[in-house]
Each structure stands twice: as C-alpha cells, then as structure tokens.
Amino acid sequence: MSRAEVFWINGPVLKAHSEGLFRMKEAVYVGRERLAAEVIRLDTGSITVQVFEDTTGLRPGAIIEGSGMAMAVELGPGMLGRMFDGLQRPLEAIAASQGDFVRAGVEVPNLDRDRRWRFTPLLKEGAAVVPGQVLGEVEETPAVKNRVLVPDGVSGELEWLAADEELRLEDPVARLRTSTGTHEISLLTRWPIRTPRRFAEQRVPNRPLLTGQRIIDTLFPIGKGGAGAMPGGFGTGKTVLQQTLAKWCDADVIVYIGCGERGNEMADIVSEFPRLEDPRTGRRLMERTMLIANTSNMPVAAREASIYTGITIGEYFRDQGYHVALFADSISRWAEALREISARLEELPAEEGYPAYLPSRLAEFYERAGNVVTLAGSEASLTAMVTVSPPGGDFSEPVTAHSRRYVKSFLALDRERAQARFYPAIHPLLSYSEYVLDTARWWQDHGGVRWAQRRERILSILQEQAQLARMVKIVGRDALPASQRLVLVCAEVMVEALLRQSAFSKVDRYCSPEKQSKMLELVDDFIRHAEQAVQQGVDPDLLLTLPVTRRLQRLGEDIANEELERFDELTHEVGHAFSSLAAGQTETPSQQVLPE
Amino acid sequence: MMDPRQHILHRGLTSIRGPLIFMRNAEGVGLYDRVEVLPSEQDDPRLGRVVSISGTTAVIDVFQGTEGLSLTGSRLRLLPEPILLSVGPGMLGRVYNGVGEAIDGGPSIVAEQRMRIDGEAINPMRREVPSEFIETGISCIDAMNSLVRGQKLPIFSGSGLSHDRLAADLARFARLRASPDLKFAVVFAAIGVTFDTAERFRSEMDEHGAMERIALFLNLASDPSAERLLTPRVALTAAEYLAYHEGRHVLVILTDMTNYCEALREVSSSHGEVPSRKGYPGYMYSDLATIYERAGRIMGKPGSITQVPILSMPSDDITHPIPDLSGYITEGQIVLDRELERRSVFPPIKLLPCLSRLMNQGIGKGMTHADHPAFAQQLYSSYALARQLRLLSSVVGEEGLSKADRRLLHFGNRMDREFIHQEDQRRSLEETFDIGWTLLAELPDESLIRLSDAQIAEHVTPRRDDTAVTLQD
C-alpha cells in the first residue's frame, strides 16, 4: 500500500510527503496507533488528510498508510439494536477494549465476525437472478429480517445457495455464475459512505410517514421518502421531538444519528428504547433502531463522517424493501465540523465562515432521501429528518436557509411556546409541508373524513388568531366584537386540544390516526356549535368556562387510543352543553364562583 | 526511561507574538505536548503547549504570559507528554492556582496518579442516565427545573446580578432527598473573576463549616488570560478524580465561563484564525463541549459530576454566542433577571427561559411526587399567560382586562413574591409544592387545563377555602 510521512500537523488535519498513489477520499491509517483518517486533498508530492480520532501526541515523521479503498461502512446483520460511533465502530466493543472513555487508536471490527445468523434461503439453485434480488434472509432482530441481496451490478445464474443453516458474516452464502466468471456472496458487504446506493426508480412521496404527533400528521405531514428540517433555538424541544418521532413513526427501520450532541441523550435512548413497545407491531422499539453517536466532545472530523455513515446504512435497509426513517440531530453540528476542517485548510470562507460548498453538500445529503422502487422492484423509502440549531434562534443563518431550499417539510420550533411549556413547540404559522396534497389522498382512504378541509380551517383560524392578538394588544380583548372573540376562543380550544401533546404522558405520546380523526371531528363539532351559539347571542368567553370545554382541551391525555367509543359520548355531551346554553340554562361553569 | 529531550533546553525561539511562541529545530515534538518556558535562568517555568507543527518549526501557546521573554535569553523545555495534573488523596479543603498548584501554603498533593487535563469523552454506552433528584432548596429549581446528579445546568446571569450568592446557596443546600450524603464535594473554579468574588465564596463556605469538602481553583482577573483555558479543565480533572476514584458526588461550579470564552477568542485571534460570530472562533461549540460534557455518571462507578457553570451574558443578551452555544450543549439553563433583582426578589430567577432537560428523568412517582410533572407544567403555563397579561395591562391598563385575566395577573404577581422570592432560606420540596398549589388554588378549574380532575380534587380544591380572593372590579 502507498505510504506517506507526516510533516505538518494542525489539530485533526495533517499534511504528509508522499510519492505513492493516493486517491481522494481514500481511507488511510496514521501512525503506530493506526488512527482512522481520510484523504481530503492531493498535491504533487504531498497529501492532506483529516483524522477521525484525537491527534494529541502525534509527531512529524509518523507514517500514513493507504488502504486503496474509499471510506466505507460494513453492511450486514448485526447493526440493529446497537450503538456505533461516527465511523461505525461499535461503542460496546470499544468500551470492552478501552473502558469507560473513548480513546484514540481503537481497532475493533465494525460488525461481529463470530456471531452466527440463521439463514433461510428463498430461492432455488439454478434460478436466474438480477441485482437487488432477495436470495434469502436472516432474522436480525425479532422485528426486522435482514434480506440478503444480489449485489448491485451482478446478475447471472444462482449456482449454489446455502441451505437453512447458521452462518457467520464472512461465510459464503451464495455463488453466482455470471458472464465474467463466478461471484461469491457472503452476508457481509461494504459500501463507500459518500456514494449513494442505486435503485431502479424514484417517485414522489405519496403517503405520510405517520408520527402519532397530531400537529405533524394533521397540519404538517411528512412524506414517506421525503426530507424535513426542524430548526429551533436551544431549549425549544428539538431533541425531544426528534426522539418522539424516532419512537412512534411508522417506519420499519430507524437510523438515529446523534451528531455532535449530548452524551446523556444517547445514553437515554439506549436505556429507554428497549423498554418501549412499537404500537403497531408490539415489538421493542430498540429492535428496529440503530444508533450512531458522535457526541459533541468526540473528534470533530468523525462528526462530519457520521451522517454519511448513517445514511448509507439507511440506504442499505431501504434496498431490502423497507421504509427507513433517518434522524440526524443536529445537521448544524455537522456543518460546523465542515467549517472547522475547511478553516484548517485555509479555504476561503463564504457566509459566516462556512465553506462555499456547504449548500451543495447539504443538497447531496437531503437528496439521498427518497421514495423509490428498489433494484428488485419493491417499494421502499428513506425519509430524512434533521434538526437544525441556528445560532441565536435566527432562521436566516446559512444552515437553516440552505436547508429550506431542499427540504419539503419545515417544522419551525418556537421559543415562546417552549417557554410556556407548550409542546411540541412547533409554530403553526412559520412551519409548512409540501406533502399535503399527496397526504390528503391517503387520509381520504383511511377514514380521515374531510381531512383537507378541516386542516385548512384550523390553519385559517390560527392565522386569524394571530392577527386578532395584535388588535388585543392595542384595544384589549373585551373591546373586540363577539364574532372576533369567538375566533380567539375557538383557537384557544383547538390549540390546547389538538396541537398540544405530551411526549411524556403514556396516553398522549402516541396518537393513532383513528384517534386523530376523532379528535379533529370533535373539535370541528365544537366550533360549529360555538358559532351557532354566538350567533344566538351567547358570550363567547362563557364557552371557555363550560366543563365540556375543559374536557375537550384534555382529550389527548384523558382518552387512550383504545377508548375511541368515548368520543361518541363526548360528541353527545358537546351537543347537550350547547343546547342547554341555547335554552338559557347554563351549566354551572366551575365549582368556584367568580367574585363580582 | 527518561526521554532525553526532557533535559534539553531549547533555544530556537524565532518569534513571540502575544501568547504565542514560534520555534525552530523542534525535532520530534508532538502535537499538544507540554512545554516549559523559562524566561531566564532564575525564573520559574511557565506552562505552554505545542499547538501546531510544520516540519521542524512549531507554534507554542504560552498560558502564563509572555512578558519578559526574549528570543535569545529564554529557553524551552519540551516534554513528550500532554499537560497533566497530579491528583491524590487530600485534594479537598485546599486552594489551588489556575493550573492546579496548591497556593494555600499547605503541603503539595501526593500524586497518586497524573491525569490528562483535557479529559476524554465518556463512551455513551458507559454513561448512566442521570436520574437522582437533587434537592437544592430553591423552589424555582426543585419544582420547576429540577437538577439531577450528573447534569450540567448553567446559570445565565449578567454583570452585577446575584449569581455568586445563588451559587453559594446551591453549594450549601444541595443534597439528595433520600439520604444526607457524606460523599458530597464541591469543586469551585474561579475563571478570571475578581479576588472579592472568590474570597466571598470561600469565606461563605468557611462560615458554614463546608470548607473541608471544597477544592478551590483560582485564576483571578489579574492572572494571565490564556491560563483561563486551563483552569476549568484542571478543576474538572480534579473533580473526575474525586468522583471516579474516591467515589464522591461532586458539584462543580465554574465561574465565569464568559471570561473563558474571551480568553479563547484572544488566543484564536493571535493564531490568525478565521473568526465566526462576534469574533469568537468557529470551534467554540466543540471547545465548550469538551468542558461541559465532562459532567455525568458512569455505569458501575459510585461518584458523579454535576456541573453548574455560571456565565454572564454580555449586555444581558441570551442570543450572544457565549450563552447561545452553552445552551446548545448544557442540559438546560437557569436565567437570572435584572428586573427581579431590582425588585429585591432573591433568587432573581426569570422562570420562562429556564429549563432543565433532565427534569423528567428525576421527578414523578417514586422519585419526588406523582403529580410533580403536571404541577410544574401548570405553573409554567399559567405563569407564562400571566406574564403576557402583565405586558398587555401595561398597554391597555388593568381595567382593560377581563375578570379572568385579572386573576391570572394577580396569580403572576404572587408567584414572583411568594414562590420565586425566598431569600437565602432553604425550602424543602414539600414546602415548595405547598406554596405552588396554594397559588394555583387562586385560579378556576377552566384555567387549570394541565391538571387532571383528580389532581385538582386532591391538591387544589382543599386549598381554595383559605385562599382569600381579594380582587376588585
């Protein structure tokens, strides 16, 4: 292999003299400790590399050894349920070899070579096979079967296929006769992280990624195979929302990347996910989840690599015909890593010190999400949701601004809502989704009666509320006419009933589509009644004191997904409360009588 | 075997710029190696570190000032190791300078081992999720932004606000609810603060007989600014020894992180680095993370490190890069408010922007009280409304508000005076709950959406009889 000798050291960036052949983005190893690194610049007689590990103590003269291969991940069973670092090294194994702290120079295999997997063949020997075709499967976890595929670019006749037997990663599983000779396949493959994997055809996302979060599913749906961003200042609940989506969304496989964030958060996922149950399959959430952790105090270059590692693994599962959801928290930390390396290379900065290629790198990343037909012809998708951490909560900064150009689902998190402990703190007037039309069709087919109209009505009431709030600031609420106060009342009830959702309440954290439809219907009903009542002269503010209004505002927490029949009672009660109002016999609003 | 280079005194200084020394003939020197700079034969060595290498030339950051150095008269001793701190038994009850040398006239620490001051990242697989509730005796923290062991919860303050007094109260009051704990220790790192601040903290602790549980690391305003880059790291290294080797629960107070960031900017600009926002280096987030992320618990180890960094927000601006980047790393923040301070509310905690991200892991059934989460949510949501109404009433006048709104406004005022304000009195969590429920009892059911009917019946209704509602129309 090619060798080079280090002569220049600046943090994680090294320059080395070399006459040997190196390629751009080639994986290399530095020094006796064999630190993982990657070639990022080539000059005649010298190379520049970025090191993914701590370079403390590194001296000029250290030898860099080429690998002849691009930075790649290992693909095969053994990833789900586990946590890896940004270079896909299993943190469990690192702990076993290094103890409680992560140190430089660790050499552990990315995937366990010794573990045996029960293989089930799904084809017959002699069959003609094409790229992406499923040869057989192993049960990676009880929730997900890992399908063994014919590699991209290989087709021919299946000469031999392993029987129903226990296999290790590197054991041969199949042999193909191709036009150029024979091709042996094992459970383990490799793929360069910066190269997207191929598929047969891409389609526009045509159904929602159901998240169980009302404000998302109802107002700002995420398309399966789409890309979305969640920007928000610190403390607005990005991470909690991101984790909530990772828990309850209806994807088959979850890739969760902690990119430059807190160590305690990753520890929290590891301790919580194995205890939670997927509401659709009843399996443990951890069985469909793989984690990548590059915490904020881990080496910065590995943070840059971590999102590519994650999305490549996401594509691997997508190619098996799964709907994959990838979550990266936060893309801003990735961009900062890019900026730091760029600064050390003394590249000319563009906006706010970020390199000029930031937008194109962002675009490349977001475009790896997609709703596709795999090489083998099955429908699959990879959805990418990222959080953005804009400095000072300012959405005009480069990472937010450029992300907006490529994502179709934009969930803006609002500091004021978060401060009032109103979660999820998604600002309904600053957020948007371009997946509404396609999603409306899905809801139509799945019991969401008049979903699109109801959604529009909610948004228009919220819009009106925002305008009226400005009026109130000038003239006071009591000075508004009844019809306008009615809008405020409806908005308040709707916001509390539908948009507020507690991620920590066992009942409320996941809201099934059926329950969402019911809630939407009920709130719609309330608004209709309220309009009639106010027309008949009832004071809108009186509506807020009705006991049934309070019940409506606590729907999420008080009625479980399994108790949908209670909605019928409530509908009845709403009707009853309003007819009593009309008859002039108001119910006693609350136990306590207001002092006059 | 001793590395022969340890004995070699290098001359080759080629230039000195601010806190930087450039040297040639630096054969075999490694990145971040420790350097001792000897201004002249008689002087004490100053601490430095190699920060970049190009061939046989190297750049060295000098942490203790370059005053008096000369290109020909000064010498360098290059040591083939990173900067280390000697740690051992008997570290508590002592006072150290900003690089960890004892300065209280007592014996030097018998080194049981030498630890890298830069620390190492805890493997996330080995992190224990922080979940043990610490009762700080302060209502706004205990009930509303609970602190748990292993958390990093900074105080965002401003010049002239009483953050030091709050920190001293925290250091005195904090304890576990289950058992008073003997293995509790405080590491206090003064980073570029005045002598008065450090001395006041020390005497406060002394007065309450707490000094033997405390280690003080002092880099005062008069000390070299580049040394501030080391002080929090040295203090945290001592804390790690106390936590993971002696099994103690360590509360680390770092004050003032703003001075740390200023020093970082100063050194960065002398390196000629491309600045990011407000001249601070682009890597400030990662750099601060290497300090803040050293809070935590490790599986199977008895001790813990809880951090309360204090930073003064320049011009009280929470979007300034220092509080902003800190807030993105820490697990919440306690924000102090000038308006409350002026109204003599102590602690002057501005509740709305405060947050504790780990709160939900440490409260609730079996830990504090089953209704604690709902209680905090309700207080927060009502108080947020009350604050909005206060703003509104300053425009339209209190008469312009509806009756229901006036009650909320009244509730908000009582929150400031009765819940937030507590002087230096330690409150048990039960006392805090009692005050909170009593205040909530002033509001009608329809305003208590975050509470279930059962919670209202249990806590609120019984307190309504003795709540005299004295609102005038």
Side-chain angles (χ1 to χ4, degrees):
Chain A
M1 281 301 153
S2 307
R3 285 157 66 89
E5 192 185 319
V6 174
F7 69 92
W8 188 92
I9 307 174
N10 186 346
V13 179
L14 315 177
K15 290 181 187 170
H17 293 300
S18 168
E19 300 304 328
L21 174 72
F22 283 93
R23 288 173 209 282
M24 277 298 271
K25 303 290 176 192
E26 177 174 342
V28 296
Y29 300 94
V30 181
R32 241 170 306 158
E33 289 184 303
R34 293 179 59 77
L35 307 179
E38 178 186 44
V39 178
I40 52 175
R41 195 182 264 184
L42 288 171
D43 295 291
T44 310
S46 77
I47 60 170
T48 305
V49 308
Q50 61 173 346
V51 185
F52 298 117
E53 302 184 64
D54 184 11
T55 48
T56 299
L58 199 68
R59 289 159 216 286
I63 298 300
I64 297 182
E65 215 175 276
S67 69
M69 287 184 292
M71 278 282 301
V73 285
E74 292 188 349
L75 300 170
M79 292 191 280
L80 296 177
R82 296 216 140 73
M83 175 149 69
F84 297 85
D85 76 357
L87 303 180
Q88 203 210 8
R89 295 176 300 195
L91 284 164
E92 224 167 324
I94 293 179
S97 90
Q98 294 188 324
D100 298 331
F101 297 90
V102 179
R103 304 201 167 99
V106 63
E107 280 200 86
V108 291
N110 293 2
L111 297 182
D112 189 346
R113 298 291 195 274
D114 300 324
R115 178 155 176 195
R116 287 168 183 279
W117 301 93
R118 173 121 227 136
F119 176 76
T120 314
L122 294 173
L123 282 181
K124 291 264 183 295
E125 286 171 5
V129 294
V130 293
Q133 197 164 346
V134 181
L135 294 165
E137 59 191 22
V138 301
E139 190 181 282
E140 176 154 5
T141 66
V144 179
K145 289 202 174 15
N146 192 308
R147 296 170 185 146
V148 184
L149 309 182
V150 177
D152 190 5
V154 179
S155 53
E157 187 200 326
L158 181 59
E159 199 172 80
W160 167 81
L161 184 65
D164 194 337
E165 58 185 309
E166 303 250 306
L167 293 174
R168 280 173 304 199
L169 276 186
E170 290 172 312
D171 291 339
V173 62
R175 197 168 53 242
L176 306 185
R177 184 175 304 132
T178 67
S179 51
T180 53
T182 56
H183 191 101
E184 202 171 79
I185 296 169
S186 67
L187 295 179
L188 179 73
T189 57
R190 293 171 60 83
W191 192 267
I193 60 172
R194 300 187 195 273
T195 311
R197 286 168 65 91
R198 286 201 321 131
F199 43 80
E201 187 189 330
Q202 185 163 5
R203 293 176 180 170
V204 174
N206 54 4
R207 71 198 116 169
L209 178 80
L210 293 174
T211 64
Q213 307 306 303
R214 292 185 288 273
I215 186 163
I216 296 179
D217 293 349
T218 302
L219 291 189
F220 308 109
I222 301 166
K224 250 186 190 157
M230 296 180 259
F234 67 81
T236 50
K238 290 184 297 296
T239 301
V240 174
L241 180 59
Q242 180 92 307
Q243 288 187 9
T244 305
L245 298 188
K247 283 173 194 166
W248 311 120
C249 77
D250 67 340
D252 304 315
V253 173
I254 304 290
V255 178
Y256 192 99
I257 311 169
C259 177
E261 289 286 315
R262 303 174 187 86
N264 279 336
E265 279 164 4
M266 298 312 290
D268 185 31
I269 297 184
V270 172
S271 91
E272 195 185 7
F273 275 40
R275 285 185 273 129
L276 295 177
E277 219 175 67
D278 185 335
R280 282 164 305 271
T281 61
R283 301 300 323 175
R284 301 283 145 184
L285 287 181
M286 203 61 196
E287 292 170 2
R288 64 165 192 177
T289 307
M290 74 94 60
L291 304 170
I292 294 176
N294 191 267
T295 59
S296 53
N297 57 342
M298 282 156 89
V300 69
R303 191 194 298 168
E304 193 271 327
S306 66
I307 68 161
Y308 297 103
T309 300
I311 204 151
T312 308
I313 291 169
E315 288 174 345
Y316 165 72
F317 283 107
R318 176 203 65 191
D319 292 346
Q320 295 176 30
Y322 289 116
H323 293 287
V324 180
L326 171 131
F327 298 93
D329 183 19
S330 123
I331 201 81
S332 297
R333 306 303 164 219
W334 165 83
E336 283 166 14
L338 206 65
R339 174 169 72 183
E340 190 174 334
I341 302 293
S342 162
R344 292 196 193 266
L345 290 172
E346 293 173 356
E347 292 172 338
L348 205 59
E351 298 159 278
E352 303 205 8
Y354 288 107
Y357 46 79
L358 172 74
S360 57
R361 293 281 170 87
L362 275 172
E364 278 164 25
F365 171 74
Y366 290 124
E367 276 300 288
R368 286 177 78 168
N371 178 26
V372 307
V373 176
T374 64
L375 293 175
S378 44
E379 279 192 46
S381 68
L382 172 58
T383 310
M385 290 299 291
V386 306
T387 62
V388 187
S389 319
D394 170 15
F395 290 175
S396 67
E397 60 89 39
V399 182
T400 318
H402 291 302
S403 290
R404 271 183 111 126
R405 295 166 52 198
Y406 308 114
V407 302
K408 297 263 184 289
S409 172
F410 187 80
L411 305 171
L413 294 172
D414 176 36
R415 190 165 263 167
E416 204 175 307
R417 280 177 171 71
Q419 290 189 349
R421 302 309 192 252
F422 184 96
Y423 293 119
I426 297 173
H427 194 303
L429 300 181
L430 296 180
S431 304
Y432 57 80
S433 163
E434 295 179 31
Y435 300 115
V436 173
L437 279 183
D438 307 300
T439 309
R441 236 164 283 141
W442 184 93
W443 277 102
Q444 205 66 50
D445 300 343
H446 292 80
V449 188
R450 299 197 297 123
W451 178 83
Q453 291 96 313
R454 285 184 171 144
R455 175 182 178 278
E456 262 164 44
R457 181 169 181 161
I458 293 176
L459 283 176
S460 70
I461 290 179
L462 290 171
Q463 181 71 50
E464 216 173 321
Q465 178 199 29
Q467 279 160 0
L468 290 174
R470 265 175 253 146
M471 293 272 289
V472 168
K473 274 186 189 151
I474 302 166
V475 299
R477 182 165 171 144
D478 283 353
L480 295 184
S483 62
Q484 293 189 331
R485 277 184 294 136
L486 171 69
V487 172
L488 292 176
V489 167
C490 290
E492 272 160 51
V493 171
M494 208 170 64
V495 162
E496 279 289 331
L498 294 177
L499 306 191
R500 180 172 64 88
Q501 189 168 359
S502 165
F504 296 102
S505 150
K506 280 203 166 68
V507 172
D508 202 20
R509 62 193 182 186
Y510 170 76
C511 187
S512 67
E514 295 76 21
K515 182 175 161 189
Q516 293 193 38
S517 298
K518 290 276 185 198
M519 287 176 74
L520 206 57
E521 219 169 295
L522 189 57
V523 171
D524 209 38
D525 237 28
F526 175 88
I527 294 174
R528 207 161 30 82
H529 280 298
E531 279 169 348
Q532 276 169 13
V534 171
Q535 270 168 18
Q536 287 158 15
V538 174
D539 178 6
D541 288 315
L542 189 64
L543 302 178
L544 283 175
T545 64
L546 295 177
V548 76
T549 310
R550 180 181 144 79
R551 293 193 60 190
L552 230 58
Q553 288 171 301
R554 290 189 50 82
L555 276 181
E557 284 144 283
D558 287 347
I559 302 187
N561 291 319
E562 301 77 32
E563 306 174 306
L564 295 183
E565 68 286 352
R566 288 182 56 194
F567 279 96
D568 298 335
E569 282 167 44
L570 260 176
T571 313
H572 183 71
E573 264 178 65
V574 170
H576 179 72
F578 276 99
S579 53
S580 314
L581 260 187
Q585 30 169 296
T586 26
E587 311 167 65
T588 320
S590 69
Q591 298 96 312
Q592 207 189 5
V593 179
L594 294 174
E596 288 302 322
Chain B
M1 200 186 78
M2 266 300 204
D3 187 293
R5 285 184 300 128
Q6 278 200 18
H7 304 285
I8 301 174
L9 289 180
H10 282 255
R11 282 169 185 275
L13 281 72
T14 55
S15 58
I16 303 174
R17 290 182 205 161
L20 302 185
I21 290 179
F22 295 76
M23 69 171 296
R24 57 170 185 259
N25 302 330
E27 274 90 13
V29 64
L31 190 66
Y32 304 135
D33 275 0
R34 184 156 73 100
V35 179
E36 286 181 2
V37 184
L38 297 128
S40 69
E41 303 290 333
Q42 309 84 328
D43 291 316
D44 287 336
R46 298 180 193 172
L47 193 56
R49 163 158 73 182
V50 176
V51 291
S52 68
I53 307 165
S54 178
T56 58
T57 63
V59 183
I60 294 157
D61 270 353
V62 184
F63 296 109
Q64 293 169 307
T66 48
E67 296 78 30
L69 295 188
S70 72
L71 293 181
T72 49
S74 301
R75 306 276 183 278
L76 301 170
R77 181 179 284 135
L78 304 173
L79 298 124
E81 60 184 21
I83 299 178
L84 303 166
L85 178 73
S86 294
V87 291
M91 294 204 68
L92 290 175
R94 304 292 306 272
V95 182
Y96 309 84
N97 65 8
V99 294
E101 296 155 352
I103 51 165
D104 51 2
S108 53
I109 300 300
V110 180
E112 188 182 277
Q113 54 177 304
R114 298 164 78 219
M115 291 167 69
R116 253 185 82 175
I117 66 158
D118 288 317
E120 284 160 324
I122 301 175
N123 187 321
M125 277 310 286
R126 300 293 306 155
R127 272 188 189 266
E128 186 86 65
V129 179
S131 61
E132 287 168 291
F133 179 85
I134 301 178
E135 193 178 272
T136 64
I138 293 166
S139 297
C140 289
I141 298 179
D142 290 351
M144 311 287 277
N145 297 284
S146 316
L147 178 68
V148 293
R149 264 184 182 166
Q151 187 173 4
K152 39 193 180 291
L153 187 65
I155 298 174
F156 285 8
S157 185
S159 317
L161 297 183
S162 46
H163 44 263
D164 296 323
R165 184 170 153 202
L166 177 58
D169 280 356
L170 274 176
R172 279 197 296 131
F173 293 162
R175 65 183 72 131
L176 279 195
R177 272 163 67 76
S179 56
D181 73 280
L182 307 167
K183 291 287 235 173
F184 182 69
V186 175
V187 169
F188 182 90
I191 307 160
V193 300
T194 59
F195 170 80
D196 299 3
T197 303
E199 178 54 25
R200 230 179 265 143
F201 183 83
R202 197 198 59 78
S203 63
E204 176 100 346
M205 292 299 116
D206 219 9
E207 219 170 275
H208 293 91
M211 206 36 219
E212 79 274 9
R213 291 190 299 157
I214 293 180
L216 285 166
F217 291 83
L218 304 181
N219 164 284
L220 300 180
S222 52
D223 290 328
S225 68
E227 191 185 284
R228 286 171 201 148
L229 300 183
L230 301 183
T231 308
R233 299 192 159 86
V234 165
L236 282 163
T237 307
E240 280 165 4
Y241 173 78
L242 293 168
Y244 305 135
H245 294 268
E246 294 193 345
R248 293 176 197 277
H249 294 289
V250 189
L251 175 68
V252 182
I253 298 174
L254 306 168
T255 181
D256 175 330
M257 286 305 287
T258 300
N259 296 332
Y260 172 86
C261 295
E262 301 294 344
L264 195 69
R265 177 166 69 176
E266 205 175 312
V267 171
S268 162
S269 92
S270 67
H271 284 253
E273 289 164 350
V274 179
S276 175
R277 286 171 69 214
K278 300 214 173 186
Y280 293 95
Y283 51 77
M284 192 155 87
Y285 174 85
S286 303
D287 188 275
L288 285 172
T290 61
I291 294 174
Y292 296 143
E293 275 289 313
R294 287 170 82 173
R297 299 212 58 176
I298 294 179
M299 284 176 183
K301 294 244 163 104
S304 64
I305 295 181
T306 308
Q307 274 189 30
V308 178
I310 298 173
L311 57 89
S312 48
M313 299 181 280
S315 325
D316 295 349
D317 175 12
I318 200 167
T319 65
H320 185 281
I322 299 172
D324 191 52
L325 294 178
S326 296
Y328 275 121
I329 305 165
T330 56
E331 284 137 356
Q333 65 277 337
I334 301 297
V335 183
L336 302 191
D337 183 28
R338 210 164 284 283
E339 188 203 321
L340 289 175
E341 174 104 9
R342 270 194 224 111
R343 286 164 39 204
S344 304
V345 171
F346 182 84
I349 295 177
K350 192 178 191 173
L351 265 181
L352 293 184
C354 293
L355 175 71
S356 166
R357 294 169 190 271
L358 303 184
M359 177 163 177
N360 280 296
Q361 288 157 17
I363 64 166
K365 204 172 159 202
M367 293 179 283
T368 54
H369 190 286
D371 297 331
H372 187 165
F375 168 84
Q377 291 259 323
Q378 184 62 60
L379 272 184
Y380 252 113
S381 115
S382 299
Y383 186 67
L385 266 176
R387 295 298 300 223
Q388 275 178 19
L389 289 169
R390 189 179 298 174
L391 213 66
L392 189 61
S393 76
S394 67
V395 183
V396 299
E398 210 167 305
E399 311 75 53
L401 298 183
S402 69
K403 215 157 22 194
D405 286 352
R406 264 176 284 155
R407 289 171 84 159
L408 262 167
L409 189 66
H410 188 246
F411 158 84
N413 294 338
R414 286 190 69 189
M415 275 291 286
D416 290 350
R417 287 196 312 269
E418 297 170 40
F419 187 88
I420 299 176
H421 183 64
Q422 62 180 90
E423 289 292 350
D424 298 287
Q425 295 301 312
R426 186 179 197 286
R427 270 191 205 148
S428 72
L429 187 61
E430 285 66 27
E431 291 171 286
T432 294
F433 281 151
D434 186 50
I435 297 172
W437 290 122
T438 307
L439 293 180
L440 287 174
E442 203 178 298
L443 303 174
D445 282 5
E446 65 258 24
S447 298
L448 304 177
I449 301 294
R450 310 288 172 94
L451 300 179
S452 69
D453 292 349
Q455 286 162 339
I456 291 181
E458 188 183 341
H459 305 289
V460 181
T461 316
R463 286 179 169 86
R464 276 203 173 125
D465 298 336
D466 36 83
T467 312
V469 183
T470 49
L471 270 186
Q472 302 193 341
D473 271 298

